[in-house]
Every structure is written in structure tokens, then in C-alpha cells.
Amino acid sequence: MRLLQDLNPQQREAVTAIDGPVLVLAGAGSGKTRVLAYRIAYLLTAGKVPPSRILAVTFTKKAAGEMIDRVRGLIGDVVGGIWMGTFHSVCARILRIEARRIGIPADFTIYDEHDQVLLIKHVLSELGLSGRNITPQAALSRITWAKAHLVSPEEMMKSAQDAYERKVADVYLAYESALRVNNAMDFDDLIVFPVKILKHNPEARQRICSRFKHILIDEYQDTNRAQYELVKLLAEPHRKICVVGDDDQSIYRWRGADVTNILNFEKDFPDARVIRLEESYRSTKTILAAAQALIQYNKMRKDKNLWTRNPVGRKIGVKGVVGEIEEGEFVADMIEQLRQDGKRFSDFVVLYRTNAQSRAIEDALRKRGIPYVICLLYT
């Protein structure tokens, strides 16, 4: 089949294994996005699967749009009807269809973070807790964590260890009541409510699950408990599910991601086929060797042996500094040094993990008259 000619043997296997559960462990730069796009194209053509029977979940709206464009580039404009989007957008669509049947008005409003903070401020005031060491942001953070782990207000109250946690549980309960009064859901509810429906409403579950013949999940290592439960419930009736991810790239534990979701996929689906994409098209041999030397110390991971046909590449430089000021000066020094070799300012990028780290670097750049632009990097 001509569609498969551009794929290596492992990618081809991941694309054509469509008869049962599949776990694709995709190393960095190994063609993960290509596999997902080609798999959808293969399902639509060789598999003769109607677009409306395919559910493909990505982690950003941009990624979903790019995926559709890739599929369209492979097989033409026959992708209309595919359920493609983020967990939240897909679940919102499901709820709009099923809401009235389970007693929820279909015209519910979706609250963003600003709306949530305002509502929690109102709840704190109503409960007489304003200014009592419970900030709206702190309460919202705990509520978001609870919903991501499918913890109800009542369960939070039962597990409360002190007076502060009991007050937060009270806020959580009142916040939920206020959402219902306002005919509103927050983004976490968009996942929580479909999980509840699938668990406790057999008729609705049958309707929802029968919509999808094939399910594809991207970045599975970054799913939280609620998303994991949703995926498992949707896939159990037909078991035609393909999850793609890399346990070595799970970095979002701080926002609820649970790497055990991908590590335990074979326990949830014992008949799963496991396919490893180990050829990297992005990095040099030096970078892959350095990454492998570090990640091998992780205890919770599946073995992979990334390799590449790319050149060895330059050695990796490591600089130890005694503080943020010296770090900023080092960055500025390197830019000035490389500028003498003909590099442009636009050839440089400085990456840092937290906003607080940028100040010393900015100070050093301004002192040298080096122009810069601060950008947010989304993955």
C-alpha cells in the first residue's frame, strides 16, 4: 500500500495494528505524530472506518488542527466527522449531546479560571472565610487536584487531616453547589461528568461508546486519573484503542499527570500489542547517548534503546555557576562570543523552567545592550 511506503518497519506496524489494544512507546523524535496521522489515514482508507467512528484525542487544540491537516495531506479532504480534539473539547461535545438525558441543561456555561476565582471569592465570603488564610487561588488549586483525581467534596472532607483541610472541603462543596445553581461547569467537570455518566448510567454509556469504533490517545504519559478512567471506560466495550506516548517524557506530575497510566496499560489490556519507536530522526548520536545515560536511572520506566542514523554531532557543554547573576553573565558572554563568529541575535534562544529565573538573565542582556523577546513555550 502506497500510504505505508514512507514508514519504517516499527512505524508501519503501529499504523496497521488496528484489531485490538496497542501501546506505542515513542521515543523523542521517533515519528509519533506521523504514526498517529498515518494510522487515522489507514483506518479511513484500508480499514474502511467512517470518520465519525474515530475518536482522536490530543493535548492541545493546535495539535488537533495540525493532525487533521496532516491526514488531509495524505488522503485528501475526507476527514470531516472525525472526533478530533483535546480531552476537554471532546467531553464538552459529548455532554452537549447527553446532558438533557441525565438531567443537566445542555446550554451549560463553561467557566474559565477567572470565572472560577470570582466564584470561589463569593463562596469564601458566603462562608465567612474571607481573609482566613484560605486564598481563592489556593482553594482552586486543591479543588482542581481533587477533580483530576476524582475526589468528591465528601471524600475530601472524610480524608481531611486538620481544620484547614476541612474548611477547603467546605469551600469545595459550596463551590460545586454554586456551579450547579449557575448552570455552569469548570474545565475539570468536563472530564468528571462524562466519567460519572459512563460509570453509573448504562444506557448513556452504551450510546456514547457505540459512537466510537477506534480510539487514539496522544501523549498518554501525561493523562491524569480522571482522563485515564474516561479512556478506559470508553475503550472497554470494543478494545480498539491505541495510546501513544513515552514514559521518559512525563514531566507534568505537578498538574496531575500520572505516569503509571502508561506503565500499567498492559495490565488494563493484557492482550495489548506493544510497539517501540526507537529510531530518532531529530537528535544527534551525542544527544541521544547523553539522554539515555541520564534516563536509565529512572526506576519507573519501560526500557527503550533510542538510536539514530544522524551524525555524532558536537559535544554537549555543561557550565557550573555559583548563582543566578553568574548564570546571566555566562549567557550574555556566550551570545557576544558567538556573535563575533557571525551569528545573529535571532539565532539564539534561552530556555528556563520558571519565570523567576529570567530576571538575572534579562539584567545581563540589558547591561550588554543585547535585544531580546520573552515568549511562552507550549508543548
Side-chain angles (χ1 to χ4, degrees):
M1 186 177 180
R2 186 173 182 179
L3 180 67
L4 305 177
Q5 292 178 356
D6 296 333
L7 305 174
N8 68 34
Q10 292 73 34
Q11 291 173 339
R12 194 175 303 119
E13 182 183 4
V15 166
T16 58
I18 62 174
D19 293 327
V22 177
L23 167 62
V24 180
L25 295 171
S30 62
K32 169 179 66 70
T33 305
R34 164 177 280 211
V35 162
L36 286 169
Y38 274 73
R39 185 178 174 91
I40 293 172
Y42 185 82
L43 287 169
L44 292 170
T45 53
K48 307 298 182 183
V49 180
S52 61
R53 303 296 301 279
I54 296 175
L55 169 62
V57 180
T58 62
F59 261 74
T60 66
K61 183 179 179 181
K62 180 180 178 182
E66 291 175 350
M67 188 72 67
I68 285 291
D69 289 341
R70 283 203 183 202
V71 177
R72 189 177 285 117
L74 290 172
I75 59 175
D77 196 14
V78 295
V79 298
I82 292 180
W83 283 60
M84 170 79 77
T86 64
F87 273 104
H88 295 100
S89 65
V90 166
C91 286
R93 186 174 172 186
I94 290 173
L95 284 173
R96 296 294 185 192
I97 296 171
E98 293 292 333
R100 283 199 180 94
R101 293 170 177 166
I102 59 171
I104 300 173
D107 61 346
F108 60 84
T109 300
I110 300 174
Y111 276 13
D112 60 19
E113 185 175 351
H114 176 71
D115 297 323
Q116 290 176 275
V117 170
L118 289 179
L119 185 57
I120 290 179
K121 284 181 178 179
H122 173 74
V123 167
L124 289 171
S125 177
E126 289 291 305
L127 295 177
L129 295 174
S130 297
R132 297 201 177 181
N133 298 325
I134 302 179
T135 67
Q137 290 77 13
L140 178 58
S141 177
R142 288 292 298 161
I143 292 170
T144 297
W145 179 93
K147 291 189 178 186
H149 291 80
L150 299 175
V151 176
S152 68
E154 294 78 12
E155 290 168 332
M156 180 184 280
M157 180 62 75
K158 288 181 181 179
S159 64
Q161 298 294 312
D162 52 38
Y164 177 85
E165 291 186 0
R166 286 191 289 273
K167 289 177 182 177
V168 173
D170 286 335
V171 174
Y172 184 8
L173 182 61
Y175 168 76
E176 287 294 278
S177 297
L179 284 173
R180 304 293 86 80
V181 169
N182 293 338
N183 189 27
M185 293 189 186
D186 59 27
F187 278 101
D188 298 301
D189 286 334
L190 297 179
I191 313 294
V192 171
F193 271 83
V195 169
K196 289 180 178 178
I197 293 170
L198 291 167
K199 279 187 173 182
H200 305 299
N201 191 317
E203 291 184 5
R205 181 181 182 184
Q206 196 280 329
R207 284 194 302 269
I208 295 169
C209 292
S210 65
R211 290 180 177 275
F212 310 121
K213 188 174 182 180
H214 288 271
I215 298 174
L216 298 85
I217 310 293
D218 190 15
E219 306 291 5
Y220 194 64
Q221 78 279 355
D222 290 329
T223 53
N224 61 33
R225 171 66 185 279
Q227 292 163 342
Y228 159 79
E229 290 287 350
L230 176 77
V231 170
K232 187 178 177 183
L233 288 164
L234 286 173
E236 277 179 348
H238 54 74
R239 303 175 67 78
K240 291 184 178 181
I241 178 173
C242 174
V243 302
V244 182
D246 183 7
D247 48 307
D248 290 340
Q249 298 184 60
S250 181
I251 60 173
Y252 290 114
R253 184 176 179 181
W254 56 274
R255 69 180 188 191
D258 186 351
V259 71
T260 62
N261 292 344
I262 193 169
L263 294 175
N264 293 335
F265 185 80
E266 293 161 88
K267 293 181 180 179
D268 296 326
F269 300 94
D271 56 333
R273 183 185 299 190
V274 181
I275 302 166
R276 287 171 167 80
L277 304 184
E278 297 177 314
E279 181 177 2
S280 176
Y281 296 90
R282 180 188 305 158
S283 302
T284 63
K285 289 182 173 67
T286 297
I287 290 175
L288 283 185
Q292 187 70 22
L294 290 173
I295 202 65
Q296 67 179 343
Y297 292 102
N298 276 19
K299 295 180 179 179
M300 297 178 61
R301 66 183 296 265
K302 291 180 176 291
D303 288 336
K304 290 177 289 295
N305 183 29
L306 294 188
W307 62 279
T308 183
R309 305 175 198 269
N310 291 339
V312 173
R314 297 174 59 182
K315 291 183 178 180
I316 297 171
V318 178
K319 172 68 175 180
V321 296
V322 297
E324 61 178 10
I325 295 177
E326 184 177 339
E327 182 180 47
E329 293 294 334
F330 170 73
V331 170
D333 286 342
M334 288 296 297
I335 292 173
E336 288 189 334
Q337 178 181 326
L338 292 171
R339 280 273 294 166
Q340 294 175 6
D341 297 334
K343 301 293 183 182
R344 299 170 299 175
F345 286 126
S346 59
D347 291 329
F348 300 93
V349 60
V350 181
L351 304 179
Y352 49 86
R353 288 293 300 273
T354 64
N355 290 334
Q357 291 177 281
S358 73
R359 181 170 180 176
I361 298 172
E362 291 185 70
D363 288 344
L365 297 179
R366 282 196 299 266
K367 187 167 66 176
R368 310 289 185 90
I370 298 174
Y372 65 89
V373 176
I374 294 180
C375 302
L376 294 177
L377 178 65
Y378 293 102
T379 57

